[in-house]
Amino acid sequence: MQEKLQALLDDYDLPQARRLNFVFQMVIVVSLLVISLETLPDISPKTRLFLYWAEVVIVGMFTLEYIARIYAAPKKLGFIFSFWGLVDLLAILPIYLLIFGIDYNLLVLRTLRLMKLARIIRFVRFNKSFRRLSLALDIAKQDFVLAIMATCLIQFIASVGIYQFENPVQPDKFSSVFASLWWALATLTTVGYGDVYPITLGGKIFTGLILMTGLGVVALPAGIFASALTEAREIEERMSHDTEK
Amino acid sequence: MQEKLQALLDDYDLPQARRLNFVFQMVIVVSLLVISLETLPDISPKTRLFLYWAEVVIVGMFTLEYIARIYAAPKKLGFIFSFWGLVDLLAILPIYLLIFGIDYNLLVLRTLRLMKLARIIRFVRFNKSFRRLSLALDIAKQDFVLAIMATCLIQFIASVGIYQFENPVQPDKFSSVFASLWWALATLTTVGYGDVYPITLGGKIFTGLILMTGLGVVALPAGIFASALTEAREIEERMSHDTEK
Amino acid sequence: MQEKLQALLDDYDLPQARRLNFVFQMVIVVSLLVISLETLPDISPKTRLFLYWAEVVIVGMFTLEYIARIYAAPKKLGFIFSFWGLVDLLAILPIYLLIFGIDYNLLVLRTLRLMKLARIIRFVRFNKSFRRLSLALDIAKQDFVLAIMATCLIQFIASVGIYQFENPVQPDKFSSVFASLWWALATLTTVGYGDVYPITLGGKIFTGLILMTGLGVVALPAGIFASALTEAREIEERMSHDTEK
Amino acid sequence: MQEKLQALLDDYDLPQARRLNFVFQMVIVVSLLVISLETLPDISPKTRLFLYWAEVVIVGMFTLEYIARIYAAPKKLGFIFSFWGLVDLLAILPIYLLIFGIDYNLLVLRTLRLMKLARIIRFVRFNKSFRRLSLALDIAKQDFVLAIMATCLIQFIASVGIYQFENPVQPDKFSSVFASLWWALATLTTVGYGDVYPITLGGKIFTGLILMTGLGVVALPAGIFASALTEAREIEERMSHDTEK
């Protein structure tokens, strides 16, 4: 029976296992919706009670799933301390801490609730296309790190530069290099909220120069990923070729 | 005569058919313009009357086309219930509902009018380049779904995170996770309207971390499509090679 | 002597021709700067006089160049009515119209001045890298047209959709489908000025759906160009291979 | 001993050299943090004193490194006047100018401090992935120059065009072609701060046309880089193939 349960939980060739997994995934989505709904400021006590019980039912289901997975695992401890075992545990822990009245403050609890999001990783655990994208990300790993470093570097240069130009004129908005960093972030990612922007001629020309360079740096990740994905496809083709032989 | 009509409507090797199709397409564009002009708030009754009669003439032309297409089709019912048959019907239905006084409310009518836009799909029905892009989209279909899922996931994480930081300080703008989702959407797509943005130090640092990751996720579709289009070109070349032999 | 002049003007293997061309290009840049400086609202009459004489000198130089090119051309009329001959003529015509007092209004003159910008095309007339990029653009021509059509289509759908949601609440900002089109443009290009944005729940959800699709459409040109440039490089390599043999 | 020191400083096959280099890099990061912290407007005199002494210690360490590198170099003058020798000197010079009381004004000092950032280039001096990206940038060098020229050209056209439309209505915001250039920069990079935007119908339509073209130009760098990186990978593979033989 243990083997049957394991197959039902993890063997994605079985139609029943796929169906069960789909149900699990829907429960996770509903659970995320419940958490979000709880933050609405103007909900009635009745709705709040309903959301509370929905949460209890969901955590109950996750607990059952967790117990089933432990029971089904050939090596119980191995599963508990595996990555997915810990993710399963973290998904139910905050509520049990709450129920059993363990000492906590609200903010910490909220932060723990954030970890519930990790549940969604299960969605893509066994997906085929997910593996190709993962391979591409793995090929381009180092390149991405360099691109992020280049982005950080150019943002820091932008912050120091704009501080020189704008601080004397807008001391409240460009109060320090750190405040300027907020501007650099919004500008070089091209978000451009419009809460801070240069008004001096020098600052505007500097922004122009930084953006001309920055556009290229922002273009790096797309280029890196396109090139890595092309290589990942070629590796896939070669592997399916080898399998055919 | 039925066969001649069918050739005139669908056989794009015939110059007359191409010319007729071009006229149909122009009528669709004019029709979309008429619908748009009707929404202008300060048009004179005279212009409104002109637009009304333009609409009547256009719908008349579409009706003639619809009847001609039914007449020309070898299997009449097959055409009526095909995708393009339904699109043709939907393009004229709202106005006939209006004329024959069938019970409706204004909002539903408006929404039905939106479906008229589907007419434009005809523009690209038989285009060669359209087929290559379609092939690329088809190759990358699953990858796009994953990229959209990754975008949704990161936006949800961004929403929950920013809610923790900004809700205590800006309870009106970040009132719930759903309100924060609007911020996450405008930020991660780099639209950045500037109606909501973080003001706390924690919120700004969190935005920076999310954007560093988000830039990569936003870069995914461009990379996926570039890679798929390169493969689509190769498949095309191989096929034209095979045809030559 | 005519042949020598022609070589001096067009034969880019000659060092003198390259140097002369560089001087021409610098004059064009200075000329564009002069035009821009003339628009500054608070310049002294002295500076304005200086700019006027700078313009006269520049147009004089362009006139000399134009005459030299006509003289050097083997087929004079062929040059005058060629694309570059007309560009050269348009670069000097507005000023002569002004000098010889031909009837004009200021706005038309201003618009004619805009055409001066076409001079800059000469910059890249004989550049090697320019030819590769041109080849890539030529390969992807049809794909770009389709991408632009897709962009126009999605912007129109976005305009009609947001009009339904926002017009009842913000009748001044989303007054018609055309006013909504301005919002759609700023949103789907991710510029996001922040002068118009949805405030209703429906409008925000619709924006989210449109942006999820729009991100992909905005990613199309980058993907198309990357794929075309890869092919252009391959064609180049094959051609240089063939030349070696 | 000189050779040992050289190996310790530059031979990245040695574990000790790698560890020492990591320490150097951390010191640079801390130093950049110290510079940034000094710009905070509301720090106590005590903290300011601490930051001053941190700066002294860091500059001391850089001085030691500089002396060690000169001592270790086989050709002392060759190192001093090499690129990295000058970068090392510039990293410590401003502070010594300050300490020895050489005549300067504050703004020049600040600008010199900016050059300290060049220290960070050392981070990536010997990185493998950095070499691949450098190769790709080298391959696409000319293409990037053309893309930047195309961007400058389209921004200038955009500026002149929008000036015609918006100057009569918003003479304060679009006061000259140069003021319009600021709008063109924010718009075509899709930053869109929202401090300046067109309000006339003509200006809005012109913005639409410019953005439709501009989207393609903004997409150029991503496409160029993706294509160059694919070629760089192929070159790498061919070279590692040749090495195997």
Side-chain angles (χ1 to χ4, degrees), chain B residues 68-130:
Chain B
R69 278 189 194 275
I70 292 174
Y71 177 76
K75 294 178 183 174
K76 315 244 176 274
L77 277 174
F79 169 73
I80 289 171
F81 292 105
S82 71
F83 176 70
W84 291 108
L86 291 172
V87 164
D88 283 338
L89 183 63
L90 273 170
I92 54 173
L93 208 64
I95 299 302
Y96 284 106
L97 288 178
L98 188 62
I99 288 170
F100 295 122
I102 283 167
D103 192 44
Y104 59 86
N105 76 33
L106 267 169
L107 209 75
V108 172
L109 179 76
R110 272 174 172 166
T111 312
L112 279 174
R113 192 173 279 180
L114 186 72
M115 281 182 274
K116 265 182 173 174
L117 292 169
R119 287 171 191 168
I120 220 163
I121 301 172
R122 289 176 191 165
F123 263 88
V124 287
R125 239 200 271 194
F126 287 94
N127 188 294
K128 203 177 174 181
S129 186
F130 176 67

Coordinates of all heavy atoms in Angstrom, one line a residue, chain B residues 68-130:
Chain B
A68 N -22.7 35.7 -49.3 CA -21.9 35.2 -50.4 C -21.0 34.0 -50.0 O -20.9 33.0 -50.7 CB -21.1 36.3 -51.0
R69 N -20.4 34.2 -48.8 CA -19.6 33.1 -48.3 C -20.4 31.8 -48.0 O -19.9 30.7 -48.3 CB -18.8 33.6 -47.0 CG -17.6 34.4 -47.3 CD -16.8 34.7 -46.1 NE -15.8 35.7 -46.4 CZ -14.6 35.6 -47.0 NH1 -14.3 34.3 -47.3 NH2 -13.8 36.6 -47.2
I70 N -21.6 32.0 -47.5 CA -22.4 30.8 -47.2 C -22.8 30.1 -48.6 O -22.6 28.9 -48.7 CB -23.7 31.2 -46.5 CG1 -23.4 31.6 -45.0 CG2 -24.7 30.0 -46.4 CD1 -24.6 32.1 -44.3
Y71 N -23.2 31.0 -49.5 CA -23.6 30.5 -50.8 C -22.4 29.7 -51.5 O -22.6 28.7 -52.1 CB -24.1 31.6 -51.7 CG -24.4 31.2 -53.1 CD1 -25.6 30.5 -53.4 CD2 -23.5 31.4 -54.2 CE1 -25.9 30.1 -54.7 CE2 -23.8 31.0 -55.5 CZ -25.0 30.3 -55.7 OH -25.3 29.9 -57.0
A72 N -21.2 30.3 -51.4 CA -20.0 29.8 -52.1 C -19.5 28.5 -51.4 O -18.8 27.7 -52.0 CB -18.9 30.8 -52.1
A73 N -19.8 28.3 -50.1 CA -19.2 27.2 -49.4 C -19.8 25.9 -49.9 O -21.0 25.8 -50.1 CB -19.5 27.3 -47.9
P74 N -18.9 24.9 -50.1 CA -19.4 23.6 -50.5 C -20.3 22.9 -49.4 O -21.4 22.4 -49.7 CB -18.2 22.7 -50.7 CG -17.0 23.7 -50.7 CD -17.4 24.8 -49.9
K75 N -19.9 23.1 -48.2 CA -20.7 22.6 -47.1 C -21.2 23.8 -46.3 O -20.4 24.4 -45.5 CB -19.9 21.7 -46.1 CG -19.4 20.4 -46.8 CD -18.6 19.6 -45.8 CE -18.1 18.3 -46.5 NZ -17.1 17.6 -45.7
K76 N -22.4 24.2 -46.5 CA -23.0 25.4 -45.9 C -22.9 25.4 -44.4 O -22.4 26.3 -43.8 CB -24.4 25.6 -46.4 CG -24.6 25.4 -47.9 CD -25.0 26.5 -48.7 CE -25.1 26.2 -50.2 NZ -23.8 26.4 -50.8
L77 N -23.4 24.3 -43.8 CA -23.4 24.3 -42.3 C -22.0 24.2 -41.7 O -21.7 24.8 -40.7 CB -24.2 23.1 -41.8 CG -25.7 23.3 -41.8 CD1 -26.5 22.0 -41.4 CD2 -26.1 24.4 -40.8
G78 N -21.2 23.6 -42.5 CA -19.8 23.5 -42.1 C -19.1 24.9 -42.0 O -18.4 25.1 -41.0
F79 N -19.5 25.7 -43.0 CA -18.9 27.1 -42.9 C -19.5 27.9 -41.8 O -18.8 28.6 -41.0 CB -19.2 27.8 -44.2 CG -18.9 29.3 -44.2 CD1 -17.5 29.7 -44.1 CD2 -19.9 30.2 -44.1 CE1 -17.3 31.1 -44.0 CE2 -19.6 31.6 -44.0 CZ -18.3 32.0 -43.9
I80 N -20.9 27.8 -41.6 CA -21.6 28.6 -40.6 C -21.0 28.3 -39.2 O -20.8 29.3 -38.4 CB -23.1 28.3 -40.7 CG1 -23.7 29.0 -42.0 CG2 -23.8 28.9 -39.5 CD1 -25.1 28.6 -42.2
F81 N -20.7 27.1 -38.9 CA -20.3 26.7 -37.6 C -18.7 26.7 -37.5 O -18.2 26.3 -36.5 CB -20.9 25.5 -37.1 CG -22.4 25.6 -36.9 CD1 -23.3 25.1 -37.7 CD2 -22.8 26.4 -35.8 CE1 -24.7 25.3 -37.5 CE2 -24.2 26.6 -35.5 CZ -25.1 26.0 -36.4
S82 N -18.0 27.0 -38.6 CA -16.6 27.1 -38.6 C -16.2 28.4 -37.8 O -17.0 29.2 -37.6 CB -16.0 27.1 -40.0 OG -16.2 28.4 -40.6
F83 N -14.9 28.5 -37.5 CA -14.4 29.6 -36.7 C -14.7 30.9 -37.5 O -15.3 31.9 -36.9 CB -12.9 29.5 -36.4 CG -12.3 30.7 -35.8 CD1 -12.7 31.0 -34.5 CD2 -11.5 31.6 -36.5 CE1 -12.2 32.2 -33.8 CE2 -11.0 32.7 -35.8 CZ -11.3 33.0 -34.5
W84 N -14.3 30.9 -38.8 CA -14.5 32.2 -39.6 C -16.0 32.5 -39.8 O -16.3 33.7 -39.9 CB -13.7 32.1 -40.9 CG -12.2 32.1 -40.6 CD1 -11.4 31.1 -40.7 CD2 -11.5 33.2 -40.1 NE1 -10.1 31.5 -40.3 CE2 -10.2 32.8 -39.9 CE3 -11.8 34.5 -39.8 CZ2 -9.2 33.7 -39.5 CZ3 -10.9 35.4 -39.3 CH2 -9.5 34.9 -39.1
G85 N -16.8 31.5 -40.0 CA -18.2 31.7 -40.1 C -18.8 32.4 -38.9 O -19.6 33.3 -39.0
L86 N -18.4 31.9 -37.7 CA -18.9 32.5 -36.5 C -18.4 34.0 -36.3 O -19.1 34.8 -35.9 CB -18.5 31.7 -35.3 CG -19.2 30.3 -35.2 CD1 -18.6 29.5 -34.1 CD2 -20.7 30.5 -35.0
V87 N -17.1 34.2 -36.7 CA -16.6 35.5 -36.7 C -17.4 36.5 -37.6 O -17.7 37.6 -37.2 CB -15.1 35.5 -37.1 CG1 -14.6 36.9 -37.4 CG2 -14.2 34.9 -36.0
D88 N -17.7 36.0 -38.8 CA -18.5 36.8 -39.7 C -19.8 37.1 -39.2 O -20.4 38.2 -39.3 CB -18.6 36.0 -41.1 CG -17.3 36.1 -41.9 OD1 -16.6 37.1 -41.7 OD2 -17.1 35.2 -42.7
L89 N -20.4 36.1 -38.5 CA -21.8 36.3 -37.9 C -21.7 37.3 -36.8 O -22.5 38.2 -36.7 CB -22.3 34.9 -37.4 CG -23.7 35.0 -36.9 CD1 -24.7 35.4 -37.9 CD2 -24.1 33.7 -36.3
L90 N -20.7 37.1 -35.9 CA -20.6 38.0 -34.7 C -20.4 39.5 -35.2 O -20.7 40.4 -34.4 CB -19.4 37.6 -33.8 CG -19.8 36.5 -32.8 CD1 -18.6 35.9 -32.1 CD2 -20.8 37.1 -31.8
A91 N -19.8 39.7 -36.3 CA -19.5 41.0 -36.8 C -20.8 41.8 -37.2 O -20.8 43.0 -37.1 CB -18.6 41.0 -38.0
I92 N -21.8 41.1 -37.5 CA -23.1 41.7 -37.9 C -24.2 41.6 -36.9 O -25.1 42.4 -36.9 CB -23.6 41.2 -39.3 CG1 -23.7 39.7 -39.3 CG2 -22.6 41.6 -40.4 CD1 -24.4 39.2 -40.6
L93 N -24.1 40.6 -36.1 CA -25.2 40.3 -35.1 C -25.6 41.5 -34.2 O -26.8 41.7 -34.1 CB -24.8 39.1 -34.2 CG -25.9 38.2 -33.7 CD1 -26.7 37.6 -34.8 CD2 -25.4 37.2 -32.7
P94 N -24.6 42.2 -33.6 CA -25.1 43.2 -32.6 C -26.0 44.2 -33.2 O -26.9 44.7 -32.6 CB -23.8 43.8 -32.2 CG -22.7 42.9 -32.6 CD -23.2 42.1 -33.7
I95 N -25.7 44.6 -34.5 CA -26.5 45.7 -35.1 C -27.9 45.1 -35.4 O -28.9 45.8 -35.3 CB -25.8 46.1 -36.4 CG1 -24.4 46.7 -36.1 CG2 -26.6 47.2 -37.2 CD1 -24.4 47.9 -35.1
Y96 N -28.0 43.9 -35.9 CA -29.3 43.3 -36.1 C -30.1 43.2 -34.9 O -31.3 43.4 -34.9 CB -29.2 42.0 -36.9 CG -28.9 42.2 -38.3 CD1 -27.6 41.9 -38.8 CD2 -29.8 42.7 -39.2 CE1 -27.3 42.2 -40.1 CE2 -29.5 43.0 -40.5 CZ -28.2 42.7 -41.0 OH -27.9 43.0 -42.3
L97 N -29.5 42.8 -33.8 CA -30.1 42.7 -32.5 C -30.7 44.1 -32.2 O -31.8 44.3 -31.7 CB -29.2 42.3 -31.4 CG -28.7 40.9 -31.4 CD1 -27.7 40.6 -30.3 CD2 -29.9 39.9 -31.2
L98 N -29.9 45.2 -32.4 CA -30.3 46.5 -32.2 C -31.5 46.9 -33.1 O -32.5 47.5 -32.6 CB -29.1 47.5 -32.5 CG -29.2 48.9 -32.2 CD1 -29.4 49.1 -30.7 CD2 -28.0 49.7 -32.6
I99 N -31.4 46.6 -34.4 CA -32.4 47.0 -35.3 C -33.7 46.3 -35.0 O -34.8 47.0 -35.0 CB -32.0 46.7 -36.8 CG1 -30.9 47.7 -37.2 CG2 -33.2 46.8 -37.7 CD1 -30.2 47.4 -38.5
F100 N -33.7 45.0 -34.8 CA -34.9 44.3 -34.5 C -35.4 44.4 -33.1 O -36.3 43.7 -32.6 CB -34.7 42.8 -34.9 CG -34.5 42.6 -36.3 CD1 -33.4 42.0 -36.8 CD2 -35.4 43.1 -37.3 CE1 -33.2 41.8 -38.2 CE2 -35.3 42.9 -38.6 CZ -34.1 42.3 -39.1
G101 N -34.8 45.3 -32.3 CA -35.3 45.7 -31.0 C -35.3 44.6 -30.0 O -36.0 44.6 -29.0
I102 N -34.4 43.6 -30.1 CA -34.3 42.6 -29.1 C -33.8 43.2 -27.8 O -33.0 44.1 -27.8 CB -33.4 41.4 -29.6 CG1 -34.1 40.6 -30.6 CG2 -32.9 40.6 -28.4 CD1 -33.3 39.7 -31.4
D103 N -34.4 42.7 -26.7 CA -34.1 43.2 -25.4 C -32.6 43.1 -25.1 O -32.0 42.1 -25.1 CB -34.9 42.4 -24.4 CG -34.9 43.1 -23.0 OD1 -35.1 44.3 -23.0 OD2 -34.7 42.4 -22.0
Y104 N -32.0 44.3 -24.7 CA -30.6 44.3 -24.4 C -30.4 45.5 -23.5 O -31.2 46.4 -23.4 CB -29.8 44.5 -25.7 CG -30.1 45.7 -26.4 CD1 -29.5 47.0 -26.1 CD2 -31.1 45.7 -27.4 CE1 -29.9 48.1 -26.7 CE2 -31.4 46.9 -28.0 CZ -30.8 48.1 -27.7 OH -31.2 49.2 -28.3
N105 N -29.2 45.5 -22.7 CA -28.9 46.8 -22.1 C -27.6 47.3 -22.8 O -26.9 46.6 -23.5 CB -28.7 46.7 -20.6 CG -27.5 46.0 -20.2 OD1 -26.4 46.1 -20.8 ND2 -27.6 45.3 -19.1
L106 N -27.4 48.6 -22.6 CA -26.4 49.3 -23.4 C -25.0 48.7 -23.2 O -24.2 48.6 -24.1 CB -26.4 50.8 -23.0 CG -27.2 51.7 -23.9 CD1 -27.3 53.1 -23.3 CD2 -26.6 51.8 -25.3
L107 N -24.7 48.3 -22.0 CA -23.3 47.9 -21.7 C -23.1 46.6 -22.4 O -22.0 46.4 -22.9 CB -23.2 47.7 -20.1 CG -21.8 47.8 -19.6 CD1 -21.4 49.3 -19.6 CD2 -21.6 47.2 -18.3
V108 N -24.1 45.7 -22.4 CA -23.9 44.4 -23.1 C -23.6 44.6 -24.6 O -22.8 44.1 -25.2 CB -25.1 43.5 -22.9 CG1 -25.0 42.2 -23.8 CG2 -25.2 43.1 -21.4
L109 N -24.4 45.6 -25.2 CA -24.3 45.9 -26.6 C -22.8 46.4 -26.8 O -22.2 45.9 -27.8 CB -25.2 47.0 -27.0 CG -25.1 47.4 -28.4 CD1 -25.7 46.4 -29.3 CD2 -25.7 48.8 -28.6
R110 N -22.4 47.3 -26.0 CA -21.0 47.8 -26.1 C -20.0 46.7 -26.1 O -19.1 46.6 -26.9 CB -20.7 48.7 -25.0 CG -21.1 50.2 -25.2 CD -20.8 50.9 -23.9 NE -21.0 52.4 -24.1 CZ -21.1 53.2 -23.1 NH1 -21.1 52.8 -21.9 NH2 -21.3 54.5 -23.4
T111 N -20.2 45.7 -25.2 CA -19.2 44.6 -25.1 C -19.3 43.8 -26.4 O -18.3 43.3 -26.9 CB -19.5 43.7 -23.9 OG1 -19.7 44.6 -22.7 CG2 -18.4 42.8 -23.6
L112 N -20.5 43.6 -26.9 CA -20.7 42.8 -28.2 C -19.9 43.5 -29.3 O -19.3 42.9 -30.1 CB -22.1 42.7 -28.5 CG -22.9 41.5 -27.8 CD1 -24.3 41.6 -28.1 CD2 -22.3 40.2 -28.1
R113 N -20.0 44.9 -29.3 CA -19.4 45.6 -30.3 C -17.9 45.4 -30.3 O -17.2 45.4 -31.4 CB -19.7 47.1 -30.1 CG -19.3 48.0 -31.2 CD -19.8 49.4 -30.9 NE -21.2 49.6 -31.3 CZ -21.8 50.7 -31.1 NH1 -21.3 51.8 -30.6 NH2 -23.1 50.8 -31.5
L114 N -17.3 45.2 -29.1 CA -15.9 44.9 -29.0 C -15.5 43.7 -29.9 O -14.4 43.7 -30.4 CB -15.6 44.6 -27.5 CG -14.1 44.4 -27.1 CD1 -13.4 45.7 -27.2 CD2 -14.0 43.8 -25.8
M115 N -16.4 42.7 -30.0 CA -16.1 41.5 -30.7 C -15.9 41.8 -32.2 O -15.3 41.0 -32.9 CB -17.2 40.5 -30.5 CG -17.0 39.8 -29.2 SD -18.2 38.5 -28.9 CE -19.6 39.5 -28.2
K116 N -16.5 42.9 -32.7 CA -16.3 43.3 -34.1 C -14.8 43.3 -34.4 O -14.4 43.1 -35.6 CB -16.8 44.7 -34.3 CG -18.2 44.8 -34.8 CD -18.5 46.3 -35.0 CE -19.9 46.5 -35.7 NZ -20.2 47.9 -35.7
L117 N -13.9 43.6 -33.4 CA -12.5 43.6 -33.7 C -12.0 42.4 -34.3 O -11.0 42.4 -35.0 CB -11.8 43.9 -32.4 CG -12.0 45.3 -31.8 CD1 -11.4 45.3 -30.4 CD2 -11.4 46.3 -32.7
A118 N -12.6 41.2 -34.0 CA -12.2 39.9 -34.5 C -12.1 39.9 -36.0 O -11.4 39.2 -36.6 CB -13.1 38.8 -34.0
R119 N -12.9 40.9 -36.7 CA -12.8 41.0 -38.1 C -11.4 41.1 -38.6 O -11.0 40.7 -39.7 CB -13.6 42.2 -38.6 CG -15.0 42.1 -38.5 CD -15.6 43.5 -38.8 NE -17.0 43.6 -38.5 CZ -17.7 44.7 -38.4 NH1 -17.0 45.9 -38.6 NH2 -18.9 44.8 -38.1
I120 N -10.6 41.8 -37.9 CA -9.2 42.2 -38.3 C -8.4 40.9 -38.5 O -7.4 41.0 -39.2 CB -8.6 43.2 -37.4 CG1 -7.8 44.2 -38.2 CG2 -7.7 42.6 -36.3 CD1 -7.5 45.5 -37.4
I121 N -8.8 39.8 -37.8 CA -8.0 38.6 -38.0 C -7.9 38.2 -39.4 O -6.9 37.7 -39.9 CB -8.6 37.5 -37.1 CG1 -8.6 37.9 -35.7 CG2 -7.7 36.2 -37.2 CD1 -9.4 36.9 -34.8
R122 N -8.9 38.5 -40.2 CA -8.9 38.2 -41.6 C -7.7 38.8 -42.4 O -7.3 38.3 -43.4 CB -10.2 38.7 -42.3 CG -11.4 38.0 -41.9 CD -12.6 38.8 -42.5 NE -13.8 38.3 -42.0 CZ -15.0 39.0 -42.2 NH1 -14.9 40.1 -42.9 NH2 -16.1 38.5 -41.7
F123 N -7.3 39.9 -41.9 CA -6.2 40.6 -42.5 C -5.0 39.7 -42.8 O -4.3 39.8 -43.8 CB -5.6 41.7 -41.6 CG -6.1 43.1 -41.9 CD1 -7.3 43.5 -41.3 CD2 -5.5 43.9 -42.7 CE1 -7.8 44.8 -41.6 CE2 -5.9 45.2 -43.0 CZ -7.1 45.6 -42.4
V124 N -4.8 38.8 -41.9 CA -3.5 38.0 -41.9 C -3.8 36.5 -42.2 O -2.9 35.7 -42.0 CB -2.8 38.2 -40.6 CG1 -2.2 39.6 -40.5 CG2 -3.7 37.9 -39.4
R125 N -5.0 36.2 -42.7 CA -5.4 34.8 -42.9 C -4.4 34.0 -43.8 O -4.0 32.9 -43.5 CB -6.8 34.7 -43.4 CG -7.7 34.0 -42.5 CD -8.9 33.5 -43.3 NE -10.0 34.5 -43.2 CZ -11.2 34.2 -43.6 NH1 -11.6 33.0 -44.0 NH2 -12.2 35.1 -43.5
F126 N -4.0 34.7 -44.9 CA -3.2 33.9 -45.9 C -1.8 34.4 -46.1 O -1.2 34.1 -47.0 CB -4.0 33.9 -47.2 CG -5.2 33.0 -47.2 CD1 -6.4 33.5 -46.9 CD2 -5.0 31.6 -47.4 CE1 -7.5 32.6 -46.8 CE2 -6.1 30.8 -47.3 CZ -7.4 31.3 -47.0
N127 N -1.3 35.2 -45.1 CA 0.0 35.9 -45.2 C 1.1 34.9 -45.0 O 1.0 34.1 -44.1 CB 0.1 37.0 -44.3 CG 1.3 37.8 -44.5 OD1 2.4 37.3 -44.3 ND2 1.2 39.1 -45.0
K128 N 2.2 34.9 -45.8 CA 3.3 34.0 -45.7 C 4.1 34.2 -44.4 O 4.4 33.2 -43.7 CB 4.2 34.2 -46.9 CG 5.0 32.9 -47.2 CD 5.8 33.2 -48.5 CE 6.8 32.0 -48.7 NZ 7.6 32.2 -49.9
S129 N 4.5 35.4 -44.2 CA 5.3 35.8 -43.0 C 4.5 35.4 -41.7 O 5.2 35.1 -40.7 CB 5.7 37.2 -43.1 OG 6.6 37.5 -42.0
F130 N 3.2 35.6 -41.8 CA 2.4 35.3 -40.6 C 2.5 33.8 -40.2 O 2.5 33.5 -39.1 CB 0.9 35.6 -41.0 CG -0.1 35.3 -39.9 CD1 -0.1 36.0 -38.7 CD2 -1.0 34.3 -40.1 CE1 -1.1 35.6 -37.8 CE2 -2.0 33.9 -39.2 CZ -2.0 34.6 -38.0

